[in-house]
C-alpha cells in the first residue's frame, strides 16, 4: 500500500479509534492523543491506551508522524513492541518510585511522631536549682578566668551550639565581654528548652568553671560545667533561624539589611569593640597633650568643604545644613580654651559609592594655637603613633587586632614626608596616567583616589603628603611664603586605605581671609563670627580632621569603612 493510499485509509477511519503521535511537535506532558494534541512518543500512546476500558483497547490504533514527514502512518509491529516494552519499564519505575516515596513518607512521619513524642516527654522534665551547692556568684564572661573552680551564674546569648548524642550539649555563650564554652550533660539536655534551643537564644547558666582537659581547646582554656540553666528569651529556629537569614557569602545588601544581627558575629563585634578602645585612646591622647574636648553644633548655616556636599534642611523657615566639619567652631575656642578637639559626627552629601566614603562619619578634629606647619605635621604623626601604641598596650584589644589583622605592627619609623609636586613626579615616573585622557599628571591636577592609593600601597609606608595647590584646597588654607601657588596643607595617607587625615594651617590674617571668600564666591556675612577671630587678637594656628572609620579600616584590615561603624549611612542607605 502506497503512502498516499495509507493516508487516505487513515483519513477515512473513525478518528476516535486513532491515537496520534507526532515526534516533532507532540508532547508527552500536555498531549491527549488526538490529532490536535498528539503525544511525542509511542510509549506515551501505549500508556494512554492501557488506561482505556478493555473493551475499547483493541480498536485503538497508533499512528505516527516522524520528524521530517508530513503524513501519519500506522506504527510498525516492531515499533509497537518497543513502545510496549518502554511503557512497561516506565510503569515499573513509577511503581518503585511510588513505593519509595510512600516508604520515605512513612519514615518521615514516624520520625516526626517520635520527635513530637520526645518533645511532649521533655515537657515533663523540670530542672531545679540545687540549693545544697554553694550560692552561685553572678559574673560576666570577661571575669571567668579569675573565677575558675568557683560556682558562678552567667547570662548571655547562644553563639554556637553542638549536640553530641542524646546526653551532651556544648554551648558557646557570648555576653559582649567574651566567649565561654558551656557543657550540659544528661537531664540538662532532655528538657523542652534543650531540644528546641536555637542560636541567639538568651540563657542563664549556673555551674563551675573548670580548665579544659589536656588536649582539648576552648576559649580562654576553660569551660563551664553546668548544673542548672534556663532560657530567658527564646530565638526562633526553622526558616526564621538566624543562620538562614544570611552568611558570610551573602550579598552586601543582605548583610546591610541584617546589620542589627550581623554585628553579633565575631568579626563585626570585634571591629566595634576595637572602635570603642580607639575612641578612648584618642581621648586619652588629647588629655595627655593638654587639649580640651568641646562639642560643637551639628546644625549650621556655613560651609567648610564646598556647597556641593551639604545636606540642607529647613530650620524654622531658614536654610541650614548638617555640618561638614566642626573646624570653624573649634577655632573660636582657641582664645578661651587653648588647644581643643572634638569627636563629633560630620556629614557629606557625596554621590559616591566607594569603599572609603560615608555620608555620616565620626570626625576626630583638633585645632592648636601658636604653632608652625612643621609643628602640625609632628603633632599628627605623634597622635597616630600614640593612639596605636595605647590600644596595642591593652592585651584584650591587641588580641582582637591581631586576629582581625595578623600582619599589623605598630609604626616605629618616621612617616615619609612628600610634597604634592613630588607625588606628581612619582606618578609620571611610574607610568600612572590620568584616567580621563591617558596623559601624564600635571601640577594643579587633583590626584584621584586610585592613583593616590597605588602610590601609597607601592611605597608601603605612611605618607604625609603636603603643599597642595591653592585651587584644589579649602578657602581657609593659607599659601606658603616661599611659593604662593601652594598651601600649608597635608593629607596623611595609609597603605591599603588611603587618606585618613586632612589638615592645614589656617589663614589668620583678616584681609587674606576676606580675599579668599571673594575668590571662592562665598558671602562672608554668615561667617561674621569666624572673621571676628581674625579681628580680635588673631594668631598662627592649624588643625586637622581624622576619619575614625578610615583609621579603623587601616587598623583592622577592613575592606570598607562601612564595616567600621555601627550602622553605615551612604548613598541609597539610611536604614536600619
Amino acid at each position: 500500500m502506497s503512502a498516499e493510499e495509507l493516508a487516505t485509509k487513515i483519513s477515512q477511519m473513525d478518528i476516535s479509534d486513532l491515537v496520534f503521535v507526532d515526534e516533532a511537535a507532540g508532547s508527552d506532558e500536555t498531549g491527549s492523543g488526538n490529532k490536535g494534541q498528539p503525544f511525542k512518543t509511542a510509549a506515551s500512546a501505549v500508556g494512554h491506551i492501557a488506561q482505556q476500558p478493555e473493551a475499547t483497547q483493541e480498536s485503538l490504533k497508533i499512528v505516527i508522524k516522524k520528524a521530517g514527514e508530513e503524513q501519519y502512518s500506522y506504527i510498525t509491529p516492531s515499533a509497537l513492541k518497543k513502545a510496549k516494552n518502554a511503557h512497561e519499564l516506565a510503569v515499573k519505575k513509577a511503581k518503585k518510585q511510588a513505593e519509595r516515596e510512600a516508604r520515605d513518607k512513612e519514615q518521615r512521619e514516624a520520625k516526626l511522631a517520635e520527635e513530637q513524642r520526645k518533645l511532649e516527654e521533655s515537657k515533663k522534665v523540670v530542672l531545679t536549682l540545687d540549693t545544697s551547692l554553694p550560692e552561685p556568684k553572678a559574673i560576666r564572661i570577661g571575669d571567668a578566668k579569675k573565677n575558675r573552680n568557683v560556682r558562678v551564674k552567667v547570662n548571655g546569648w547562644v553563639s554556637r551550639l553542638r549536640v553530641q548524642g542524646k546526653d551532651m550539649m556544648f554551648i558557646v555563650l557570648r555576653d559582649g565581654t567574651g566567649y565561654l564554652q558551656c557543657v550540659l550533660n544528661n537531664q540538662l539536655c532532655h528538657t523542652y528548652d534543650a531540644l528546641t534551643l536555637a542560636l541567639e537564644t538568651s540563657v542563664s547558666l549556673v555551674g563551675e568553671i573548670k580548665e579544659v582537659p589536656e588536649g582539648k581547646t576552648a576559649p580562654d582554656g576553660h569551660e563551664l560545667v553546668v548544673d542548672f540553666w534556663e532560657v530567658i528569651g527564646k530565638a526562633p529556629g526553622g526558616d526564621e533561624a538566624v543562620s538562614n537569614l544570611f552568611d558570610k557569602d551573602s550579598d552586601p545588601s543582605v548583610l546591610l539589611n541584617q546589620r542589627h544581627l550581623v554585628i553579633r558575629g565575631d568579626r563585626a563585634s570585634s571591629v566595634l569593640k576595637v572602635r570603642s578602645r580607639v575612641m578612648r585612646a584618642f581621648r586619652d591622647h588629647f588629655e595627655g597633650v593638654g587639649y580640651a574636648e568641646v562639642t560643637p553644633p551639628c546644625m549650621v548655616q556655613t560651609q567648610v568643604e564646598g556647597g556641593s556636599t551639604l545636606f540642607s534642611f529647613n530650620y524654622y523657615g531658614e536654610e541650614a545644613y548638617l555640618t561638614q566639619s566642626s573646624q570653624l567652631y573649634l577655632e573660636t575656642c582657641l582664645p578661651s580654651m587653648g588647644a581643643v578637639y572634638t569627636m563629633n559626627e560630620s556629614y557629606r552629601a557625596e554621590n559616591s559609592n566607594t569603599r572609603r566614603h560615608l555620608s555620616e562619619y565620626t570626625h576626630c578634629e583638633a585645632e592648636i594655637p601658636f604653632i608652625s606647619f612643621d609643628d602640625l605635621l609632628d603633632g599628627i604623626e605623634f597622635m597616630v603613633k600614640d593612639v596605636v601604641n595605647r590600644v596595642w598596650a591593652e592585651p584584650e584589644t591587641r588580641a582582637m587586632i591581631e586576629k582581625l589583622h595578623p600582619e599589623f605592627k605598630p609604626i616605629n619609623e618616621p612617616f615619609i614626608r612628600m610634597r604634592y609636586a613630588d607625588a606628581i613626579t612619582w606618578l609620571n615616573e611610574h607610568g600612572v596616567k590620568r584616567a580621563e585622557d591617558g596623559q601624564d599628571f600635571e601640577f594643579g591636577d587633583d590626584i584621584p583616589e586610585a592613583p593616590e592609593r597605588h602610590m601609597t600601597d607601592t611605597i608601603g609606608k605612611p605618607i604625609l603628603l603636603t603643599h597642595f595647590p591653592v585651587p584644589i584646597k579649602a578657602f581657609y588654607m593659607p599659601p606658603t611664603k616661599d611659593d604662593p601657588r601652594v598651601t600649608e596643607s597635608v593629607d596623611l595617607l595609609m597603605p591599603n586605605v588611603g587618606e585618613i587625615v586632612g589638615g592645614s594651617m589656617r589663614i589668620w590674617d583678616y584681609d587674606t581671609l576676606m580675599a579668599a571668600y571673594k575668590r571662592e564666591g562665598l558671602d562672608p556675612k554668615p561667617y561674621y563670627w569666624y572673621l571676628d577671630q581674625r579681628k580680635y587678637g588673631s594668631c598662627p594656628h592649624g588643625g586637622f580632621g581624622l576619619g575614625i572609620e578610615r583609621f579603623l579600616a587601616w587598623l583592622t584590615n577592613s575592606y570598607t569603612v562601612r564595616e567600621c561603624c555601627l550602622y553605615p549611612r551612604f548613598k541609597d542607605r539610611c536604614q536600619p
Side-chain angles (χ1 to χ4, degrees), residues 26 49 88 108 126 208 216 225 227 259 265 286 297 324 340 443 447 474 524 533 553:
I49 293 173
E88 289 173 2
R108 285 196 305 270
V126 178
E208 193 170 342
K216 303 291 184 180
V225 180
D227 60 61
R259 179 72 177 167
F286 288 122
Q324 298 168 312
V340 291
F443 186 91
I447 303 173
Q533 305 307 307

Side-chain angles (χ1 to χ4, degrees), residues 262-561:
V262 169
I263 60 176
R264 300 186 183 196
D266 292 353
R267 178 176 176 81
S269 62
S270 293
V271 170
L272 292 177
K273 288 175 187 175
V274 172
R275 178 188 171 104
S276 173
R277 309 309 199 270
V278 164
M279 297 278 281
R280 185 177 65 203
F282 272 107
R283 287 190 164 93
D284 290 345
H285 164 79
F286 288 122
E287 181 73 19
V289 294
Y291 292 15
E293 183 173 8
V294 295
T295 309
C298 286
M299 296 183 288
V300 302
Q301 290 187 310
T302 52
Q303 65 182 42
V304 183
E305 299 295 335
S308 63
T309 63
L310 284 168
F311 280 110
S312 62
F313 63 95
N314 186 313
Y315 187 75
Y316 303 108
E318 297 181 4
E319 186 174 29
Y321 316 105
L322 294 177
T323 185
Q324 298 168 312
S325 165
S326 297
Q327 174 204 320
L328 306 189
Y329 292 99
L330 293 180
E331 290 186 54
T332 68
C333 299
L334 299 182
S336 59
M337 303 179 70
V340 291
Y341 77 97
T342 188
M343 305 280 278
N344 212 1
E345 298 304 290
S346 287
Y347 305 85
R348 303 284 172 89
E350 292 185 280
N351 188 16
S352 175
N353 268 321
T354 74
R355 60 191 175 115
R356 70 173 195 159
H357 282 97
L358 291 166
S359 295
E360 177 186 27
Y361 65 98
T362 303
H363 210 173
C364 172
E365 299 180 89
E367 291 294 322
I368 313 98
F370 301 108
I371 61 168
S372 67
F373 187 50
D374 284 337
D375 293 334
L376 178 66
L377 300 183
D378 292 341
I380 292 171
E381 180 171 346
F382 173 61
M383 175 192 68
V384 171
K385 290 180 176 179
D386 186 43
V387 168
V388 169
N389 288 334
R390 287 175 185 272
V391 296
W392 198 252
E394 299 177 3
E396 183 183 351
T397 308
R398 176 174 175 170
M400 286 189 287
I401 295 171
E402 288 179 326
K403 187 175 181 180
L404 292 164
H405 192 178
E407 294 79 26
F408 184 83
K409 292 290 184 291
I411 305 165
N412 295 314
E413 66 270 18
F415 291 178
I416 292 173
R417 301 194 180 189
M418 176 187 289
R419 284 178 171 251
Y420 162 88
D422 295 329
I424 294 292
T425 300
W426 189 98
L427 292 171
N428 292 337
E429 287 178 349
H430 288 78
V432 181
K433 305 295 183 181
R434 293 188 303 211
E436 61 270 22
D437 58 11
Q439 299 299 309
D440 281 351
F441 283 93
E442 297 178 354
F443 186 91
D445 287 339
D446 193 356
I447 303 173
E449 175 189 356
E452 183 181 81
R453 284 279 301 275
H454 174 75
M455 179 183 73
T456 309
D457 293 350
T458 302
I459 294 172
K461 296 179 180 180
I463 301 171
L464 286 164
L465 189 61
T466 66
H467 298 91
F468 292 87
V470 171
I472 63 173
K473 281 299 181 180
F475 72 90
Y476 51 77
M477 297 186 181
T480 61
K481 292 180 180 178
D482 59 335
D483 185 356
R485 299 179 306 157
V486 299
T487 55
E488 291 184 310
S489 54
V490 59
D491 285 350
L492 174 57
L493 311 179
M494 286 296 188
N496 300 319
V497 178
E499 178 195 345
I500 67 168
V501 178
S504 76
M505 297 300 288
R506 316 307 192 191
I507 293 176
W508 61 285
D509 174 72
Y510 184 94
D511 291 335
T512 306
L513 185 57
M514 286 297 291
Y517 282 130
K518 185 176 181 180
R519 182 187 74 237
E520 298 295 329
L522 293 172
D523 181 2
K525 289 181 181 178
Y527 297 86
Y528 73 93
W529 50 273
Y530 186 65
L531 282 163
D532 277 354
Q533 305 307 307
R534 280 74 184 161
K535 188 175 180 181
Y536 295 94
S538 188
C539 73
H541 63 284
F544 58 84
L546 175 144
I548 293 293
E549 289 80 9
R550 290 189 183 181
F551 183 90
L552 278 164
W554 166 66
L555 189 64
T556 63
N557 197 32
S558 296
Y559 175 74
T560 170
V561 293

Side-chain angles (χ1 to χ4, degrees), residues 157-286:
W157 289 263
V158 178
S159 181
R160 290 188 287 277
L161 174 65
R162 178 165 59 92
V163 177
Q164 189 168 306
K166 65 177 184 177
D167 292 323
M168 182 174 284
M169 289 172 54
F170 291 90
I171 293 174
V172 175
L173 197 68
R174 179 190 74 244
D175 75 346
T177 69
Y179 294 87
L180 178 63
Q181 179 170 288
C182 309
V183 185
L184 288 73
N185 290 293
N186 302 321
Q187 194 178 38
L188 298 176
C189 306
H190 301 162
T191 66
Y192 181 80
D193 283 338
L195 297 182
T196 59
L197 189 62
L199 296 179
E200 296 307 326
T201 294
S202 58
V203 295
S204 180
L205 302 104
V206 175
E208 193 170 342
I209 297 174
K210 297 285 189 181
E211 287 190 64
V212 295
E214 188 175 347
K216 303 291 184 180
T217 59
D220 293 325
H222 54 227
E223 61 190 10
L224 180 69
V225 180
V226 179
D227 60 61
F228 175 80
W229 74 288
E230 60 185 342
V231 167
I232 298 172
K234 204 170 187 66
D239 292 341
E240 287 190 280
V242 68
S243 56
N244 287 331
L245 299 179
F246 60 87
D247 58 33
K248 62 182 180 64
D249 297 319
S250 294
D251 186 84
S253 64
V254 173
L255 296 176
L256 287 167
N257 288 338
Q258 301 294 338
R259 179 72 177 167
H260 57 294
L261 297 175
V262 169
I263 60 176
R264 300 186 183 196
D266 292 353
R267 178 176 176 81
S269 62
S270 293
V271 170
L272 292 177
K273 288 175 187 175
V274 172
R275 178 188 171 104
S276 173
R277 309 309 199 270
V278 164
M279 297 278 281
R280 185 177 65 203
F282 272 107
R283 287 190 164 93
D284 290 345
H285 164 79
F286 288 122

Side-chain angles (χ1 to χ4, degrees), residues 56-87:
T56 61
Q57 288 183 12
E58 287 296 327
S59 64
L60 295 175
K61 307 297 181 185
I62 299 174
V63 291
I64 296 180
K65 184 179 11 175
K66 295 186 177 296
E69 295 182 356
E70 296 184 0
Q71 303 293 337
Y72 282 94
S73 60
Y74 285 111
I75 187 169
T76 64
S78 61
L80 179 60
K81 183 178 180 181
K82 185 177 179 181
K84 287 181 177 180
N85 290 338
H87 169 65

Side-chain angles (χ1 to χ4, degrees), residues 99-112:
E99 290 173 350
R100 185 163 51 250
E101 290 177 355
R103 187 169 58 251
D104 291 346
K105 181 181 179 183
E106 184 179 347
Q107 291 175 350
R108 285 196 305 270
E109 290 176 348
K111 183 179 179 182
L112 186 61

